[in-house]
Amino acid sequence: MKKVNFTETVLRDANQSLIATRLPYSKFEPILETMDKAGFYSAEVWGGATFDVCLRYLQEDPWERLRKIRAKMPNTKLQMLLRGQNILGYKHYPDDVVRKFVEYSVKNGIDIIRIFDALNDVRNLEVAIDETVKQGAHASGTICFTTSPVHTLEKNVQMVKDLKSMGVSSICIKDMAGIMGPKEAYDLSAAIKDAVPELPLVIHTHCTTGLAFMTDLKAVEAGADVIDTAISPFSGGTSQPATETLAYALRHLGYQVDLDDQVLTKMADFFKGVRADFLKDGTLDPISMATDTQCLNYQIPGGMLSNLISQLKMMNAIDKLDQALAETPKVRADLGYPPLVTPTSQMVGSQAVQNVLAGERYKVVGKEIKAYCRGEYGRTPAPIDPEIQKKILGDTPLVEGRFADSLEPEFEKTKKELGATAKSDEDVLSYIAFPQVAMAFFKDREAGFPKKEEPKKAAAPAAAQAPKQPETAPLPAWQGHVYYARVPAPAGCGYTARPIEPFAASYQPPHLVLGTRDDCTGTFTVTIDGKPYQVSVEKADGPAPAAPAVVAPVAAPVVPAPAPAPAPTAAPAPAAAPAPAPVAPTAGETAVNSPMPGNIFKVECSVGQRVKAGDVLVVLEAMKMEIEVSAPVDGTVKSVAAVVGSTVNTDDLLVVLG
Ligand code: CO
């Protein structure tokens, strides 16, 4: 009797696809010991977006999460998803970082690392595979499934042979968009089993288009050994097919399925409650649960689809979803048919959105797309459209060979730079993967951050506790208009209170103005109208804004007020006006406006600076991408309205050039 094995994805891919990875550890901890008894081949619990979201939104150390899961699930192989040379981020990392990341993943509890490259360029997989094997773990070499005029069966079989020679212990077909039909699955699985019969074949797909159950069945008929499924309450839609359903069907068809049905029932009961909570708070969007056959044309992966929907909603542009979906395959063809999987899915998706929102194709191009067009991500399956490449790159030279070979080792250097800020090598890796997010996390941790038990989107989180008064009740959320903030100076720290009047002309409530000094970061109590509020102040990365004060939006109760480097003593007057109230350019001046909604990530110019057309003035962060806003003309920076950390909308003034 042929045995079919199951990998349970509820904690990683199902979590990522349906609820944007917002499941905190505390919410699933009670079920882990039960899950451990189910008889899964493996449980996918880590990697992918879990790492970023833990640090960014859940106030969880992802490494600690992994160790806790490991302790509660000693009998189940724990699996993670790794983007080869990109690790978990969207850019290429040097080999030493890739190796360290693999090493520490295994040390902290990972058994199986599924390693893929967005472009299926095996040069980007070899280091991660090599290190996984060295660490004694199981490397699962992965093919990103996609269809295009250039993706053939022969090409896929060749890649499998390459992976085998690199030392992988299994092969995975990763159909991140749910576009692999039963016939394709059968043909491809049969061809792979024929080429490398000794390697277990794993099938990973999504229910997005409704094909998944048929696809898994036909793949199993063709010899596939393992299927990825999610426990029923977190199955379907953009997630995986249901574990119980496939176990039932396959058993009836005469396959051996070693899963404990009673345990699965307990898991399903548990996750029904979890699902209800996320439906109630809006994190789980019913659209993500539906079957969407459009994906057969658009090739939108599960995670990308739910991300696109939530991003467009945030921009009040959900009515543009159809347009963005229609633009996506065009962008993909322009870029040489990359498979749509992180990070290329984000790149193609946000480029499609930018093309639609900007009203002109490739007018706004993210840094990542530029890097992609240079060849930094690897070989594209087909050549990039040369005209578009030219429009995006100008005269920038292309990369020859393997991009990672040109990168300097980073781990030891970063470790030294971080010093005591990093408490462990794992911290160093978190920082290398997500510098700003990790730094904010370290600061929060230092301040004894509150554990946010519920990752509710719009709900107000508990206020941060002041480090020196841990017994006091949480301070109230800070909302409303602030005209004057007095910041008590902690010992040895020179914070001063600043009235907001100098900024009144351009001041849009609610904002806070703080005078800060470089070395004075942390969590402070701010008294406004006699009432104490919590404010956390952190040092901003990048050059110092040309103003003595920082204006931070006060949308969230705990206010991240990025503190600039020491302020110049001569106050350059209107430089740091918040974006919504621009200083209108006069005749002969040029306004540089935000091309799209986003956060100000970096300000790379200051008042009085001479700039040339094409120089980067401001970097926005939108849709997880860095978007560079460049000077349209040569000139001098007259004023800078962009403030690091603040939110801007389309057409908000960023910089005035004269
Ligand atoms: Co997936």
Side-chain angles (χ1 to χ4, degrees):
M1 198 193 285
K2 161 90 177 168
K3 183 177 170 184
V4 181
N5 281 305
F6 284 66
T7 292
E8 172 61 49
T9 68
V10 64
L11 298 183
R12 206 289 296 176
D13 203 350
N15 170 20
Q16 182 170 334
S17 298
L18 291 178
I19 54 172
T21 335
R22 294 303 198 277
L23 191 55
Y25 176 79
S26 58
K27 197 119 187 162
F28 64 77
E29 184 191 26
I31 200 65
L32 290 176
E33 279 157 343
T34 306
M35 256 179 92
D36 195 35
K37 299 186 185 107
F40 296 123
Y41 166 82
S42 65
E44 194 196 32
V45 299
W46 211 62
T50 60
F51 198 95
D52 180 14
V53 171
C54 273
L55 289 169
R56 192 186 291 260
Y57 299 113
L58 301 178
Q59 294 194 323
E60 273 184 49
D61 182 342
W63 302 96
E64 192 186 326
R65 170 185 282 214
L66 174 57
R67 290 191 293 270
K68 286 179 182 165
I69 297 173
R70 175 78 285 167
K72 296 254 178 195
M73 296 183 76
N75 302 306
T76 306
K77 283 187 176 157
L78 299 185
Q79 185 175 316
M80 73 172 288
L81 183 66
L82 189 81
R83 294 172 199 143
Q85 209 70 29
N86 301 148
I87 308 181
L88 304 169
Y90 308 103
K91 63 163 197 171
H92 267 46
Y93 292 90
D95 292 341
D96 72 315
V97 170
V98 174
R99 288 189 186 277
K100 280 278 179 207
F101 205 95
V102 167
E103 180 191 334
Y104 279 98
S105 299
V106 175
K107 279 187 177 157
N108 281 281
I110 288 293
D111 300 293
I112 301 177
I113 307 188
R114 180 177 291 171
I115 303 166
F116 74 97
D117 176 62
L119 295 176
N120 286 331
D121 185 342
V122 290
R123 297 173 307 171
N124 293 333
L125 302 175
E126 57 195 16
V127 172
I129 290 173
D130 184 62
E131 189 63 31
T132 303
V133 174
K134 270 193 187 137
Q135 294 298 328
H138 171 137
S140 190
T142 304
I143 297 179
C144 293
F145 177 84
T146 192
T147 54
S148 86
V150 298
H151 288 87
T152 60
L153 206 58
E154 293 70 33
K155 218 174 171 179
N156 284 320
V157 167
Q158 185 53 52
M159 182 171 173
V160 167
K161 288 180 179 163
D162 292 344
L163 291 170
K164 188 193 161 194
S165 67
M166 290 178 184
V168 300
S169 301
S170 64
I171 297 291
C172 172
I173 304 173
K174 179 176 162 67
D175 171 25
M176 52 282 165
I179 49 149
M180 180 164 64
K183 177 166 176 12
E184 291 155 324
Y186 188 92
D187 293 348
L188 185 54
S189 299
I192 291 174
K193 284 311 282 188
D194 201 37
V196 289
E198 67 281 16
L199 292 183
L201 176 61
V202 185
I203 305 297
H204 175 85
T205 184
H206 289 254
C207 286
T208 323
T209 59
L211 292 170
F213 291 97
M214 294 179 281
T215 300
D216 277 341
L217 177 59
K218 293 306 280 186
V220 166
E221 285 179 9
D225 305 280
V226 186
I227 51 176
D228 280 13
T229 60
I231 197 75
S232 52
F234 272 80
S235 71
T238 54
S239 176
Q240 272 71 55
T243 308
E244 304 97 300
T245 312
L246 274 158
Y248 177 92
L250 289 169
R251 263 190 204 130
H252 277 239
L253 286 165
Y255 294 95
Q256 182 189 338
V257 175
D258 293 344
L259 290 177
D260 185 325
D261 291 337
Q262 284 184 332
V263 171
L264 295 185
T265 303
K266 279 186 198 158
M267 280 178 64
D269 287 346
F270 178 85
F271 280 104
K272 264 179 212 163
V274 176
R275 178 180 65 184
D277 290 346
F278 282 103
L279 265 172
K280 206 158 72 186
D281 74 10
T283 307
L284 176 52
D285 188 327
I287 293 182
S288 302
M289 304 288 282
T291 300
D292 185 352
T293 52
Q294 276 189 328
C295 299
L296 294 173
N297 298 323
Y298 297 134
Q299 295 204 322
I300 306 290
M304 181 181 176
L305 184 62
S306 55
N307 243 333
L308 212 64
I309 291 167
S310 75
Q311 294 291 348
L312 283 167
K313 271 187 184 168
M314 262 162 43
M315 296 173 190
N316 285 323
I318 191 70
D319 57 311
K320 299 252 181 14
L321 179 61
D322 284 348
Q323 264 175 281
L325 286 170
E327 176 67 8
T328 303
K330 294 180 193 159
V331 171
R332 179 169 177 252
D334 293 341
L335 297 180
Y337 296 104
L340 291 185
V341 57
T342 312
T344 45
S345 58
Q346 270 85 355
M347 285 155 53
V348 171
S350 49
Q351 190 58 51
V353 168
Q354 283 155 28
N355 286 356
V356 166
L357 292 184
E360 182 192 326
R361 305 189 78 221
Y362 304 102
K363 182 185 175 190
V364 182
V365 176
K367 201 171 107 186
E368 285 85 356
I369 287 274
K370 282 184 191 161
Y372 172 93
C373 288
R374 279 191 68 220
E376 289 183 24
Y377 287 83
R379 263 190 291 263
T380 57
I384 299 167
D385 182 301
E387 257 175 56
I388 286 161
Q389 196 171 20
K390 181 95 184 99
K391 177 166 183 178
I392 291 171
L393 286 183
D395 298 325
T396 314
L398 299 178
V399 170
E400 308 287 342
R402 179 178 175 270
F403 181 65
D405 288 338
S406 68
L407 302 174
E408 292 294 321
E410 218 176 283
F411 182 82
E412 293 301 334
K413 194 179 119 224
T414 310
K415 188 176 173 175
K416 224 173 262 163
E417 280 167 14
L418 283 175
T421 308
K423 305 286 178 234
S424 60
D425 284 0
E426 285 88 341
D427 273 359
V428 178
L429 291 166
S430 299
Y431 179 82
I432 291 172
F434 301 101
Q436 288 201 323
V437 173
M439 191 50 81
F441 174 83
F442 298 154
K443 291 272 164 64
D444 274 4
R445 185 176 62 186
E446 199 70 67
F449 50 49
K451 273 280 177 207
K452 279 190 261 179
E453 297 298 333
E454 303 287 329
K456 288 185 175 121
K457 270 183 186 166
Q465 277 192 326
K468 286 182 185 166
Q469 354 168 279
E471 299 86 8
T472 52
L475 293 168
W478 178 16
Q479 283 153 354
H481 304 182
V482 179
Y483 294 97
Y484 191 91
R486 183 174 297 281
V487 182
C493 189
Y495 278 94
T496 53
R498 282 180 190 275
I500 201 154
E501 267 66 37
F503 299 90
S506 54
Y507 168 69
Q508 292 278 304
H511 282 99
L512 166 70
V513 174
L514 285 178
T516 58
R517 238 180 51 184
D518 190 27
D519 54 346
C520 296
T521 54
T523 305
F524 300 99
T525 303
V526 177
T527 305
I528 298 155
D529 295 335
K531 281 190 200 149
Y533 297 88
Q534 282 289 301
V535 181
S536 82
V537 178
E538 63 188 46
K539 188 183 168 192
D541 289 338
V550 169
V551 183
V554 192
V558 177
V559 185
T569 36
V583 183
T586 55
E589 292 182 338
T590 306
V592 181
N593 297 324
S594 177
M596 64 186 312
N599 296 309
I600 305 289
F601 183 57
K602 283 179 194 162
V603 175
E604 305 213 316
C605 63
S606 50
V607 175
Q609 187 184 328
R610 291 282 307 162
V611 295
K612 289 211 178 92
D615 285 356
V616 176
L617 302 175
V618 172
V619 182
L620 294 175
E621 191 189 35
M623 293 182 294
K624 290 184 167 181
M625 306 286 291
E626 290 175 29
I627 312 289
E628 291 176 342
V629 181
S630 313
V633 293
D634 293 357
T636 303
V637 176
K638 292 287 177 193
S639 66
V640 180
V643 176
V644 173
S646 66
T647 311
V648 289
N649 275 310
T650 307
D651 289 336
D652 281 353
L653 183 69
L654 301 176
V655 174
V656 174
L657 299 178

